[in-house]
Every structure is written in structure tokens, then in C-alpha cells.
């Protein structure tokens, strides 16, 4: 069911675009011809702002031009000029970047050669060009906003790139469009194509209130993409200052990431163990802590890739506690943090603790509801569960008894309370059959949620092939 968030975001973006249009909807006359007369702007001046690539006609539709009026160019004149341009039909690609089949949408586009005369038509003053660039970026942002979730932005990406990489002027609209392209590629699992946009955004976007720092959301996105691309050292370097900013943001509200990241023992007894435990927190406090948990999770992911498993587990401990506090034990983000902790502990052969965390995460899971309401998160939960199980079976078979350590998962009273409410905390007796079954379920769930070509699905299929020998369903 729609919770209204997408509707509110759409309304806010529409308001921002329309305000930008109102700010720009005045007539400008720049430069001078040889006779000294002012030179009016013409439609070719706007077309020169876009890249020499096919431009979907809907970017310059009458509704779009009405939402983003242009400085000095009457809408009627621009509509007439756009309508006279040569149009070609361009086939789209699938979300995974492969060529679309016969059913792939065919998009009418303005031919690249239509913009050639505009590219060299004349040189406008910097102020005029910057305003036209802002209008072009707002038009692209509007088109991306209305694209279906999961749609590859291939046709719009070259134009956003041209504006985002252009020097000078106000890049606000170009940054907004760049973030949409970045996030669309991330959604499709095309991380290598998203990474240049994330890097450019982090370079150009104004920082949050932290000297020399990145905007937290942009730095987080850049670090996560580096991790997805296997650049773990780069991810860690990007995310370390982002974590410092998140800690500063938390501290500024009188909160802390150290120590009491999860609920207190009193809160556990007083409230439902599933949480969330937000009685003493404001809405903004919860948002700040949830954002900090996301950064902690991303840093832990990078350090896991660097094989710094103990550090990764400690960071995930804090992330899981924060998510338990502000989101609740049944939230898929908290489950993922616990299962990621289990994976990091497994790498240290601490299987008793690892499997206890698996039981803790899955104790809250309503599999049908999770698959229905959060299909991607549900698929990731299944994948991590299958990965931890397969590693446990293999490790215990090849290396014998697991290691143990004296440090508790939570303070001792909390551990005893959890043991009495969530099970005995002992690792179950797992078999290769269990590992194969879970791997098959994870691969099927990933294919449904992400599609067959997504990296998450490929990783799940590789795990399945490792457990069954040929990728066939486990008996």
C-alpha cells in the first residue's frame, strides 16, 4: 500500500521545479550584434545545452515546458521549433544494460544532428548560458522523476553528464538530475555506470555543516558504490570522514553512538522486545540515528571486503543496535545488520555466536510479509542466511570445532534476557542439504526481486552452484 512518501516527494519536487521556473521566467537579452542591438535568446540556444545524443521528445513536451518556463524564449515559439526538429525512434535497453527485446519500449527522440547547428551557432555570455543550463537540467530532472522505478536512464544520462561536468554556474538542478541517474543505475545493479555520477556529485555538491566534508548522503552513496564495484580501500577512505560527520551530527543532538546503541535493560522489560524504543527520541533524532546506522553498515561492508572482520563486526554491532532502537527488531534493515554480523563472526570461526545472531534475526521474520512488502530486502535476508549457513557447514566439516570467545553479544543481563525470550542461542545442527535448500530459495527470491541479470542474483546463483555442483535445485 502506498504510504504517501512517494506522493509527498513528487509534490516537493514539482514545487521546486516550478519555483525554479518562476525564478527563470523573465526575459533576458544578452550580448550584442555588430550594430550594437541586444541579441534575443532562441530555441537553438536551449538545444545547445544538451549533449549531441538522442534526446527523448518528452523532455521538451508542452507540459514540461509549462512546468519549467525558459528565460527569454516564449513557450509557443519553443514548442513550434521542437515540433519541427527531425525525430527518430530509439530502442531502450533492459535494466541490466543488455539490448532490449522486441517488447522493449521504442522512444521517440530528437536526432543528435538536430543540435549540431545549435552547438556552434553563437557564444552566449556566461550568465545566459548558465541560466539555460539550469533550465535544461530542470527539464531532465523532471523527466527522470517521472520515469518508472527500475528504468535504466540510458537515454537521459548523456545529457545529465554534459550538464553536470560543465564548469561554472549554479549546478543545483544538474546535481538533482545526477542523483536520479546515479540512483537509477544503482537500482538496476549497474554500479560501474553509477560510480562516475556519484564521484562527480560528491565533488561538486555543497557539503553538510562539517569543514571539508562531503554531504553525508552523497558520500554514503559514493562509498557504497565503491564497495559494490570491489574498490574496498577507496570505499573505506571515502566513508571514514562521512562516519565522522554522522557522529558529529549525532553529538550535536545530545545523542551518542558509543555504548548504549541498543535499548536498555529497563526498556526491554518495559516495552515489547521487538521495539522500536523511541519514547525519548524526537522524529529528527530517529532520522539522525538511522542515517548514522546506515553509515556504520556501509563502513563495515567496506572493511569486510578488506578482510578486517573483527572491525566489521564491531561496527555492525553498533548499526544493529541503532536499528533495533529506532526501527525495531522486525525491520529488515536490522535483520540484515544481524546477519552481516553473523557473516563476519563466521569468518573468525565464531560459529556459536554467529548462529545465535542468525536465530535472533530470523525470530522476527514473517517471511510472507517480508517478501510481499520488502521484496528486495527479503531477498537479501535470504541470501545472507544462505551464505552464513553454507560457510558454517563447510567450516565445521573441514576445520572441526568452532572457536569461542568470552565477550557477549550484548551486556550479560541483556544476553540472559534474550536467551530466555528468543531461544537457547545454540547453533543448530546444519547439513549440506540445509545449505542447498536455503541457497535455492535465495536464488529464486533474488531473481524475482532484482531480475535475472542483477549482480545480487548472479551472486545468489553462484552460491547455489557451489552448493549443488551444477546450479540445479537441491533435492
Amino acid at each position: 500500500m502506498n504510504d504517501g512518501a512517494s506522493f509527498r516527494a513528487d509534490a516537493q519536487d514539482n514545487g521546486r521545479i516550478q519555483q525554479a521556473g518562476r525564478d527563470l521566467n523573465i526575459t533576458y537579452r544578452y550580448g550584442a550584434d555588430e550594430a550594437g542591438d541586444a541579441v534575443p535568446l532562441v530555441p537553438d540556444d536551449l538545444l545547445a545545452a544538451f549533449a549531441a545524443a538522442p534526446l527523448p521528445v518528452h523532455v521538451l513536451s508542452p507540459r514540461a515546458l509549462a512546468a519549467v518556463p525558459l528565460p527569454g524564449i516564449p513557450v509557443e515559439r519553443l514548442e513550434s521549433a521542437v515540433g519541427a526538429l527531425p525525430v527518430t525512434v530509439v530502442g531502450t535497453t533492459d535494466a541490466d544494460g543488455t539490448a532490449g527485446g522486441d517488447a522493449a519500449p521504442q522512444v521517440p527522440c530528437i536526432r543528435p544532428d538536430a543540435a549540431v547547428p545549435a552547438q556552434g551557432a553563437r557564444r552566449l555570455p556566461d550568465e545566459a548560458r548558465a541560466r539555460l543550463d539550469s533550465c535544461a537540467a530542470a527539464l531532465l530532472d523532471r523527466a527522470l522523476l517521472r520515469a518508472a522505478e527500475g528504468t535504466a536512464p540510458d537515454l537521459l544520462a548523456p545529457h545529465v553528464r554534459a550538464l553536470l561536468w560543465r564548469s561554472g554556474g549554479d549546478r543545483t538542478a544538474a546535481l538533482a538530475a545526477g542523483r536520479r541517474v546515479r540512483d537509477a543505475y544503482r537500482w538496476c545493479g549497474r554500479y560501474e555506470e553509477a560510480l562516475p555520477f556519484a564521484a562527480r556529485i560528491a565533488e561538486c555538491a555543497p557539503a553538510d555543516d562539517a569543514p571539508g566534508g562531503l554531504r553525508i548522503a552523497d558520500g554514503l552513496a559514493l562509498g557504497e558504490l565503491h564497495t559494490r564495484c570491489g574498490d574496498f580501500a577507496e570505499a573505506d577512505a571515502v566513508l571514514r570522514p562521512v562516519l565522522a560527520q554522522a557522529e558529529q551530527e549525532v553529538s550535536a543532538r545530545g545523542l551518542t553512538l558509543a555504548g548504549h546503541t541498543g535499548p536498555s535493560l529497563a526498556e526491554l522489560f518495559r516495552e515489547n522486545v521487538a521495539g522500536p524504543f523511541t519514547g525519548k527520541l524526537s522524529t529528527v533524532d530517529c532520522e539522525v540515528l538511522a542515517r548514522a546506522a546506515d553509515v556504520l553498515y556501509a563502513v563495515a561492508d567496506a572493511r569486510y571486503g578488506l578482510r578486517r572482520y573483527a572491525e566489521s563486526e564491531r561496527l555492525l554491532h553498533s548499526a544493529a543496535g541503532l536499528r533495533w532502537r529506532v526501527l525495531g527488531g522486525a525491520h529488515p534493515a536490522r535483520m540484515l545488520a544481524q546477519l552481516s554480523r553473523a557473516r563476519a563472526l563466521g569468518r573468525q570461526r565464531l560459529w556459536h555466536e554467529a548462529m545465535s545472531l542468525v536465530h535472533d534475526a530470523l525470530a522476527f521474520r514473517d517471511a510472507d510479509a517480508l517478501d510481499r512488502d520488502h521484496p528486495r530486502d527479503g531477498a537479501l535476508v535470504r541470501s545472507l542466511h544462505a551464505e552464513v549457513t553454507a560457510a558454517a557447514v563447510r567450516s565445521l566439516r573441514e576445520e572441526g570445532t568452532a572457536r569461542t570467545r568470552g565477550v557477549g553479544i550484548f551486556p550479560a543481563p541483556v544476553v540472559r534476557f534474550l536467551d530466555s525470550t528468543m531461544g537457547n542461542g545454540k547453533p543448530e545442527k546444519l547439513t549440506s542439504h540445509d545449505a542447498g535448500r536455503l541457497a535455492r530459495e535465495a536464488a529464486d527470491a533474488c531473481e524475482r526481486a532484482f531480475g535475472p541479470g542483477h549482480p545480487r542474483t548472479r551472486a545468489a546463483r553462484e552460491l547455489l552452484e557451489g552448493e549443488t555442483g551444477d546450479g540445479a535445485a537441491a533435492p
Side-chain angles (χ1 to χ4, degrees):
M1 186 170 72
N2 192 334
D3 62 0
S6 59
F7 177 83
R8 290 193 296 273
D10 197 321
Q12 289 169 357
D13 282 334
N14 281 337
R16 177 178 53 74
I17 291 171
Q18 290 171 3
Q19 182 60 49
R22 286 193 289 271
D23 293 342
L24 296 168
N25 190 23
I26 52 179
T27 301
Y28 292 89
R29 300 171 75 84
Y30 296 94
D33 58 17
E34 294 179 356
D37 295 331
V39 179
L41 296 176
V42 296
D44 277 356
D45 295 327
L46 175 65
L47 292 174
F50 296 101
L55 177 67
V57 172
H58 66 263
V59 174
L60 299 175
S61 69
R63 291 184 66 181
L65 296 175
V68 186
L70 305 168
I73 308 177
V75 173
E76 297 78 9
R77 183 179 177 187
L78 185 56
E79 287 180 13
S80 176
V82 171
L85 293 172
V87 173
T88 186
V89 176
V90 178
T92 59
T93 59
D94 292 331
D96 60 4
T98 59
D102 295 336
Q106 305 292 303
V107 180
C109 293
I110 299 170
R111 287 206 328 243
D113 57 356
V116 171
Q119 299 291 340
R122 57 182 173 172
R123 182 174 180 80
L124 293 172
D126 291 342
E127 185 181 356
R129 173 52 57 204
R131 288 184 178 276
L132 286 170
D133 286 351
S134 293
C135 290
L139 288 164
L140 292 167
D141 186 33
R142 181 184 185 279
L144 287 160
L145 173 66
R146 283 155 178 75
E149 190 176 62
T151 301
D154 293 324
L155 291 176
L156 298 177
H159 305 287
V160 175
R161 178 189 292 272
L163 291 164
L164 194 56
W165 266 258
R166 194 168 293 158
S167 60
D170 181 6
R171 290 197 182 92
T172 302
L175 287 167
R179 290 185 182 104
R180 293 195 194 282
V181 171
R182 175 198 68 195
D183 294 342
Y185 277 136
R186 287 176 70 191
W187 177 269
C188 298
R190 293 165 63 179
Y191 306 124
E192 291 82 2
E193 289 163 277
L195 186 56
F197 286 93
R200 182 62 174 172
I201 290 165
E203 177 184 344
C204 298
D208 289 328
D209 296 332
L214 292 175
R215 187 172 177 268
I216 290 178
D218 291 330
L220 177 59
L222 177 59
E224 288 175 334
L225 282 168
H226 273 304
T227 298
R228 298 281 78 79
C229 292
D231 306 326
F232 303 115
E234 290 86 345
D236 190 55
V238 167
L239 289 167
R240 265 182 277 131
V242 176
L243 179 57
Q245 285 179 253
E247 290 173 339
Q248 180 179 337
E249 186 180 39
V250 168
S251 178
R253 300 197 64 81
L255 304 169
T256 179
L257 296 182
H260 303 296
T261 53
S264 66
L265 184 60
E267 287 173 314
L268 285 173
F269 281 113
R270 186 173 62 247
E271 303 178 41
N272 188 317
V273 68
F277 306 88
T278 56
K280 297 180 180 179
L281 300 173
S282 69
T283 301
V284 176
D285 289 340
C286 292
E287 291 174 354
V288 167
L289 290 174
R291 183 158 50 244
D294 291 342
V295 177
L296 286 164
Y297 189 95
V299 177
D301 212 10
R303 294 193 182 167
Y304 182 90
L306 292 170
R307 301 184 180 184
R308 291 155 63 177
Y309 303 123
E311 293 178 39
S312 176
E313 192 273 328
R314 285 195 295 270
L315 290 162
L316 288 165
H317 185 178
S318 295
L322 287 171
R323 287 174 170 176
W324 188 15
R325 169 170 283 283
V326 301
L327 301 174
H331 195 282
R334 191 257 179 177
M335 293 185 202
L336 289 171
Q338 288 290 70
L339 290 169
S340 295
R341 282 186 69 197
R343 182 180 63 168
L345 288 168
R347 286 289 187 173
Q348 302 167 70
R349 295 190 58 244
L350 296 167
W351 290 114
H352 288 273
E353 293 182 43
M355 298 314 298
S356 180
L357 288 175
V358 169
H359 284 296
D360 173 34
L362 300 183
F364 292 101
R365 187 184 71 170
D366 181 337
D368 292 337
L370 190 60
D371 291 340
R372 180 183 66 249
D373 300 334
H374 306 278
R376 287 194 159 204
D377 288 334
L380 291 178
V381 166
R382 289 180 184 276
S383 293
L384 275 171
H385 185 197
E387 183 179 347
V388 172
T389 301
V393 170
R394 185 166 53 251
S395 175
L396 295 174
R397 181 179 64 238
E398 296 173 358
E399 301 174 15
T401 306
R403 293 175 55 226
T404 59
R405 66 177 182 181
V407 180
I409 300 168
F410 297 105
V414 178
V415 173
R416 287 195 294 272
F417 181 83
L418 294 180
D419 285 346
S420 66
T421 56
M422 289 189 234
N424 58 20
K426 296 179 180 178
E428 58 187 324
K429 294 187 180 299
L430 299 168
T431 66
S432 298
H433 174 82
D434 296 318
R437 174 179 55 79
L438 292 172
R440 183 187 69 247
E441 292 174 358
D444 292 344
C446 285
E447 185 156 356
R448 289 193 303 270
F450 295 100
H454 196 282
R456 300 283 193 183
T457 305
R458 292 200 297 269
R461 286 290 173 195
E462 288 172 5
L463 178 64
L464 175 60
E465 291 172 7
E467 292 307 307
T468 62
D470 58 359

